[in-house]
Amino acid sequence: MEVKDIRAAGSDVKVAQFAASETATYTMFAGGGLNWADREIKAGNHALLPCEEYTTPDLKGLTCEWAPIPSQRGDILSLLVEPQDHTRQETFTVLARQLLTALGARDGSSRPVPDDVVITDDVADYLGGKGWADVVLNSDYRRYDDVLRLTLDCTPEQIEEIEALLTSAKGRGEVYFGLHRQSHALMACLVPTGAPGAPLHFLDGMSGGYRAAAALLEAQKHTHQLRRSEHQKSA
């Protein structure tokens, strides 16, 4: 599958990079192309040819050595928000900004990784001498790959506010969403080869996390598709 195939089908693949710090950069995707490709592959319309050389995934550098991180504000929120129409990006951008502001994701107040962690000398060596502040900066608790993905430490009031906001947006036909609350976050790390002092830190919820939120999002999509199909049959 090539990008031209995705564009011919009416979707796109737009790529941008977000610099979390001087040493950590995360890639973001928009345009609906990744989701379209995922659906096509699952439907059997495209297949990856088997390759003996890559039958076992290369997980070199991937570690998960950190203890679960407890919420300091109420709940660790796992949130997924997907545009119903990826061509209406401006509408989704306005909503995303509202969400990020309400949840404190723009100013860092809901970042699940606390600032005041005391680390041992061994951990300092693992971090390349940069200290815990570098872990905080490099933590990937917000990303976008055709779906806005957030792992945040939120108050109950914040969660109620954004759930009401998203319910309204869903009713207007703008988004699908799924959210899940839990008491702790989990952090896994990827240490790029040759750069032990620049690990990337990926955040998820400990009790279901993105997986649980995704199940709710997919249920919304399924219900919407059924209703649309029934409406077309009755028309």
Side-chain angles (χ1 to χ4, degrees):
M1 183 187 302
E2 300 180 6
V3 173
K4 66 180 181 180
D5 300 322
I6 293 173
R7 289 175 175 160
S11 296
D12 201 356
V13 179
K14 300 178 181 179
V15 184
Q17 289 189 316
F18 169 68
S21 71
E22 293 181 358
T23 57
T25 300
Y26 297 97
T27 303
M28 308 287 185
F29 297 89
L34 292 188
N35 279 356
W36 180 86
D38 181 67
R39 291 193 300 271
E40 286 292 294
I41 292 171
K42 288 178 179 177
N45 298 328
H46 295 269
L48 299 177
L49 296 176
C51 179
E52 294 182 2
E53 184 179 354
Y54 299 108
T55 53
T56 301
D58 182 4
L59 302 180
K60 185 183 299 181
L62 187 64
T63 65
C64 187
E65 302 176 0
W66 306 101
I69 303 170
S71 169
Q72 304 294 316
R73 310 181 73 200
D75 287 297
I76 298 295
L77 175 69
S78 298
L79 177 64
L80 302 178
V81 187
E82 179 183 348
Q84 289 195 20
D85 183 352
H86 287 274
T87 65
R88 298 170 58 190
Q89 202 63 43
E90 291 184 4
T91 300
F92 184 77
T93 298
V94 171
L95 176 63
R97 286 174 177 165
Q98 290 179 294
L99 290 173
L100 294 174
T101 299
L103 289 169
R106 302 186 76 177
D107 61 13
S109 61
S110 60
R111 185 167 45 206
V113 182
D115 296 321
D116 54 351
V117 173
V118 178
I119 60 176
T120 64
D121 291 340
D122 289 343
V123 174
D125 290 340
Y126 166 77
L127 296 173
K130 295 180 180 293
W132 184 256
D134 201 59
V135 175
V136 176
L137 284 175
N138 291 357
S139 295
D140 182 31
Y141 60 94
R142 62 204 186 283
R143 76 185 78 158
Y144 187 77
D145 52 4
D146 285 343
V147 178
L148 180 64
R149 303 174 188 272
L150 301 172
T151 299
L152 301 172
D153 191 354
C154 301
T155 66
E157 292 77 17
Q158 284 178 309
I159 297 175
E160 291 172 5
E161 178 184 354
I162 65 100
E163 188 167 11
L165 184 65
L166 287 169
T167 299
S168 296
K170 175 179 170 291
R172 296 192 299 269
E174 295 176 4
V175 299
Y176 305 110
F177 72 95
L179 57 81
H180 183 69
R181 308 182 192 204
Q182 55 248 299
S183 60
H184 290 68
L186 291 177
M187 181 162 63
C189 305
L190 176 64
V191 183
T193 303
L200 307 177
H201 307 283
F202 303 102
L203 274 296
D204 197 356
M206 184 179 75
S207 303
Y210 285 139
R211 179 175 55 82
L216 295 174
L217 185 149
E218 290 300 324
Q220 286 186 3
K221 293 173 70 173
H222 181 67
T223 300
H224 180 261
Q225 290 166 358
L226 284 177
R227 289 176 178 172
R228 183 169 57 185
S229 177
E230 291 172 357
H231 177 73
Q232 290 173 345
K233 290 179 180 179
S234 62

